[in-house]
Amino acid sequence: MSDNNLMNPNSARSDVEEIKLRTNHLRGNLAESLKDPITASITEDENRLMKFHGSYMQDDRDLRNERQKQKLEPAFQFMVRVRAPGGVVTPDQWLMIDRIAQQYANGSIRLTTRQSFQVHGVMKWSMKPMIREVNEALLTTLAACGDVNRNVMCGPNPHQSELHGEVYEWAGKLSRHLEPQTRAYHEIWLDGEKVAGTEPEDEQEPIYGKVYLPRKFKIGIAVPPSNDVDVFSQDLGFIAIVENGKLAGFNVTVGGGMGMSHGDPKTYPQVGQVIGFVRPDQVIELAEKTVTIQRDYGDRCTRKHARFKYTIDDRGIDWFIGELTARLGWKPEPARPFHFDNNGDRYGWVKGSDGKWHLTLFIQNGRIVDQDDYPLMTGLREIAKVHTGDFRLTPNQNLIIGGVKTQQKKKIEELAKKYGLTEGAHLSALRRNSMACVALPTCGLAMAESERYFPTLLSKIEPMLEEFGLQNDDIVIRMTGCPNGCARPALAEIALIGKAVGKYNLYLGGGFAGDRLNRLYKENIGEAEILDSLKPILAHYAKDRQNGERFGDFTIRAGYVREVRSGQDFHS
Ligand code: SRM
Ligand code: SF4
């Protein structure tokens, strides 16, 4: 570990590293700042800390210019992320989220691409009572953001529910094992007792240490044949291997990630590599050691280069396996065969192996809000009041009403019908396979619209699909408002990544099962050019595709883009 940044006090650490170091395990002055009645904001240092507590300070970007003209401070507000491993919550927890969204936030709920909840527009002074309510309902915002392990994803695949149940337990165990141990969260939000400040610091955080990780860290577990969690996008991924009907263990993937910066070829999205197989009882140890390798070797100087994918790409996969084996004292077995069919959701009613029913609803871009002609939020609230099973957030921003007993199915069906909740059967398959990130007006990093614009753009692509007879063909399309990649666009068959207001880069050629990156096809184009670019390719695909050929594969075979085999080849 001679050259690791953590151990080398002379390396120029990024400012965030300094903040983590001086704020005593995520405490800083957050508690005092939250009480300050003078401003709705907190300082930049505290905002950095706030992330570990599951929240970001934002301002309403729709109001920014107007407020500037009026010489007012930005309309500061907070986004709060509530996590649950695998996105599984009880009806009571659903009702709590619904309540806080109305009472403290802007009246809508966002289901995220990592199976968490987000609410936006929370005022500083509401943060404490709100986070208390979240915790009273046995959910948490701790580590929903920040340089730690984030929400552990897990395929909520209802047609394999027995196995899902077992895999889900591992998601929970991983999540608990890698949770920060600091008492700061309890002190600040739940009025827990203050620490005397004398504990040896590493005792407080046995895995993370005093400066936590160099950057966020993400884990997801896929249950083949569904790759709904986009396992190759995760820093650390597990692929469930079933043998003789039983969970034999997991293949392990390392080094995936989606983020990049426009114009900076040193940054790129990457797909994780499969490094071997472990038994279920080895999963936690492997995850912990992997996290500690990133802790010790990840780049603490340049945050853009601090993700685990760069640690691995810079040093090589063999180095990583060697380091992992040394820390474990054993080596993962050779990877076992697996096969993914897709990375999407399966909609509608499905009967699970335990005889219970699961209804997957299409939730456009994960946004739950009441509209005049579509009272989605009310409908789900009414379902939560009578439902005795669970709610499962899918990795594609959709929602499963899970574990419905046969006697209750009719009631749920009636409520879904009454409130117009839909499995999306009347929608194009393209829309059913679409995802868009939040972007404007809340995301401070957005360069272009995403969630608010994507449905309109899809409505303009859909007539082409009808013209070419493709309306029922599953094609994965994703949009983000910037290249950070929150809707995992680099894995989509068609992706639009925001460059400036109204302008996007168009990417083609991702793998239908989330197993191949796409490549830039056109740069900085507006709506008219997006439509003009896609139309001939869709027509060509409808006419010349081979039997069963997926759109992403076709765009490569037909020569629209070259195949990308590794993120290091993404920009070439
Ligand atoms: Fe993300 C930052 C929203 C999943 C990569 N992401 C942000 C912030 C917090 C903006 C910020 O830093 O100021 C966004 C808040 C917007 C808002 O107003 O709500 C934001 N990310 C989201 C969500 C809500 C998108 C969504 O529409 O669902 C997802 C919440 C996940 C969760 O519940 O934990 C979300 N973000 C992702 C994913 C997908 C995933 O994790 O599977 C990625 C790509 C995978 C990866 O991490 O490589 C992702 N978000 C980023 C990045 C780029 C990280 C990088 O490696 O460079 C940033 C920027 C950063 O960290 O500096 C970012
Ligand atoms: Fe914001 Fe960019 Fe993430 Fe979209 S991809 S939510 S614009 S950071």
Side-chain angles (χ1 to χ4, degrees):
M1 279 194 276
S2 58
D3 59 345
N4 90 46
N5 293 307
L6 183 67
M7 314 298 277
N8 178 1
N10 296 324
S11 59
R13 297 175 186 206
S14 77
D15 55 339
V16 181
E17 292 303 310
E18 297 304 329
I19 294 170
K20 287 186 279 186
L21 194 59
R22 66 174 176 258
T23 47
N24 185 21
H25 286 116
L26 313 181
R27 285 178 180 82
N29 287 326
L30 205 44
E32 290 71 29
S33 237
L34 286 165
K35 287 186 214 143
D36 179 359
I38 309 284
T39 169
S41 67
I42 56 175
T43 65
E44 200 39 51
D45 274 22
E46 283 139 21
N47 195 28
R48 288 286 182 184
L49 278 193
M50 190 70 138
K51 297 177 188 181
F52 289 80
H53 297 261
S55 174
Y56 278 62
M57 184 171 68
Q58 304 181 318
D59 71 296
D60 186 332
R61 294 181 59 183
D62 285 347
L63 305 178
R64 209 181 258 183
N65 287 345
E66 190 49 40
R67 289 183 71 92
Q68 231 165 17
K69 269 190 224 148
Q70 294 183 21
K71 302 204 171 7
L72 294 169
E73 74 170 9
F76 289 117
Q77 53 182 43
F78 290 80
M79 172 275 272
V80 179
R81 196 177 280 166
V82 180
R83 69 179 170 88
V88 180
V89 298
T90 65
D92 280 347
Q93 289 170 331
W94 182 274
L95 289 171
M96 178 278 295
I97 297 281
D98 179 89
R99 196 172 56 243
I100 62 170
Q102 294 175 71
Q103 191 176 341
Y104 303 111
N106 64 6
S108 86
I109 303 170
R110 187 61 155 64
L111 311 184
T112 78
T113 54
R114 288 197 75 75
Q115 302 175 287
S116 312
F117 296 94
Q118 275 189 192
V119 293
H120 293 92
V122 182
M123 296 307 291
K124 182 173 91 170
W125 300 283
S126 301
M127 288 288 289
K128 204 164 157 174
M130 196 183 106
I131 290 185
R132 179 179 283 277
E133 281 193 43
V134 169
N135 280 269
E136 279 168 1
L138 303 182
L139 287 175
T140 189
T141 65
L142 174 66
C145 319
D147 296 343
V148 286
N149 178 49
R150 302 291 190 86
N151 198 32
V152 177
M153 293 176 73
C154 166
N157 220 339
H159 64 290
Q160 296 183 4
S161 63
E162 220 171 86
L163 185 67
H164 169 262
E166 208 179 335
V167 169
Y168 168 63
E169 277 177 29
W170 285 106
K173 284 180 194 166
L174 279 165
S175 175
R176 285 188 293 278
H177 189 77
L178 295 172
E179 230 168 56
Q181 299 298 304
T182 173
R183 295 281 306 156
Y185 186 81
H186 294 84
E187 286 168 22
I188 294 170
W189 307 107
L190 309 174
D191 291 330
E193 233 173 76
K194 279 233 183 319
V195 289
T198 50
E199 292 92 324
E201 288 182 332
D202 285 350
E203 206 175 288
Q204 284 202 3
E205 294 291 5
I207 298 176
Y208 293 119
K210 61 186 172 208
V211 276
Y212 296 84
L213 296 181
R215 208 64 167 84
K216 57 179 83 166
F217 193 89
K218 298 184 172 178
I219 299 181
I221 313 180
V223 185
S226 172
N227 184 22
D228 49 5
V229 302
D230 275 331
V231 75
F232 300 109
S233 74
Q234 311 286 338
D235 293 274
L236 174 61
F238 294 100
I239 301 170
I241 301 295
V242 180
E243 286 168 359
N244 306 319
K246 297 237 171 321
L247 180 68
F250 301 89
N251 280 353
V252 179
T253 70
V254 293
M258 294 284 100
M260 60 171 170
S261 304
H262 287 313
D264 181 355
K266 286 199 216 107
T267 65
Y268 50 83
Q270 182 59 291
V271 280
Q273 305 177 58
V274 179
I275 58 154
F277 168 88
V278 291
R279 294 190 315 268
D281 62 328
Q282 296 174 315
V283 158
I284 302 288
E285 196 187 358
L286 179 128
E288 179 183 317
K289 298 297 183 238
T290 303
V291 165
T292 63
I293 293 174
Q294 166 64 353
R295 177 197 68 195
D296 296 342
Y297 289 98
D299 185 344
R300 289 184 186 266
C301 306
T302 310
R303 280 184 73 78
K304 268 189 179 182
H305 183 255
R307 291 294 296 269
F308 187 41
K309 61 184 173 186
Y310 301 120
T311 313
I312 292 200
D313 288 352
D314 291 354
R315 292 170 183 267
I317 196 72
D318 293 338
W319 165 82
F320 171 73
I321 294 170
E323 184 67 28
L324 180 68
T325 306
R327 291 188 186 210
L328 286 169
W330 50 267
K331 195 173 177 185
E333 291 173 32
R336 304 209 176 161
F338 66 96
H339 172 75
F340 287 128
D341 281 344
N342 62 73
N343 62 354
D345 285 341
R346 175 186 171 135
Y347 292 102
W349 283 104
V350 176
K351 194 172 188 176
S353 49
D354 58 356
K356 289 186 182 158
W357 292 86
H358 311 272
L359 170 62
T360 306
L361 296 168
F362 171 73
I363 311 287
Q364 183 133 314
N365 301 331
R367 179 63 67 185
I368 293 186
V369 65
D370 277 347
Q371 288 164 358
D372 290 344
D373 54 349
Y374 185 30
L376 173 62
M377 196 165 178
T378 304
L380 291 170
R381 186 183 314 128
E382 292 309 311
I383 287 181
K385 286 181 190 165
V386 299
H387 181 39
T388 53
D390 52 32
F391 287 85
R392 303 173 186 197
L393 280 53
T394 81
N396 287 291
Q397 303 172 320
N398 293 308
L399 182 65
I400 300 171
I401 315 288
V404 177
K405 291 188 192 132
T406 303
Q407 313 83 286
Q408 275 205 319
K409 184 167 176 264
K410 196 152 168 274
K411 179 73 190 160
I412 302 288
E413 255 163 359
E414 278 167 10
L415 284 170
K417 193 159 173 229
K418 178 171 172 194
Y419 292 99
L421 312 189
T422 176
E423 58 194 64
H426 60 294
L427 302 170
S428 69
L430 183 78
R431 193 178 289 260
R432 289 202 304 270
N433 285 286
S434 68
M435 280 209 285
C437 73
V438 181
L440 294 165
T442 53
C443 178
L445 305 176
M447 298 167 172
E449 293 281 354
S450 185
E451 175 190 338
R452 293 198 296 195
Y453 166 59
F454 199 36
T456 311
L457 180 70
L458 289 175
S459 303
K460 295 182 181 176
I461 300 174
E462 278 163 341
M464 298 179 200
L465 299 174
E466 271 168 44
E467 186 184 339
F468 308 134
L470 295 173
Q471 64 273 35
N472 295 321
D473 281 270
D474 291 308
I475 299 174
V476 176
I477 183 166
R478 296 174 177 176
M479 173 179 274
T480 56
C482 84
N484 282 317
C486 298
R488 300 186 289 274
L491 289 169
E493 296 181 284
I494 305 174
L496 291 149
I497 298 187
K499 264 216 118 173
V501 176
K503 298 283 185 190
Y504 297 84
N505 283 357
L506 171 61
Y507 298 78
L508 299 174
F512 182 72
D515 47 3
R516 183 182 59 231
L517 295 169
N518 49 28
R519 188 185 286 280
L520 182 64
Y521 178 62
K522 290 232 169 126
E523 203 170 352
N524 209 25
I525 56 176
E527 181 179 283
E529 218 181 322
I530 294 171
L531 298 174
D532 285 350
S533 304
L534 287 177
K535 192 168 184 176
I537 309 177
L538 289 167
H540 190 185
Y541 173 59
K543 192 166 135 287
D544 281 356
R545 66 178 148 171
Q546 292 169 351
N547 197 11
E549 189 176 26
R550 293 292 175 185
F551 183 76
D553 299 338
F554 171 80
T555 56
I556 292 170
R557 184 176 62 82
Y560 292 103
V561 285
R562 253 186 323 113
E563 180 177 4
V564 176
R565 290 176 193 274
S566 155
Q568 285 161 306
D569 172 37
F570 187 75
H571 299 289
S572 62

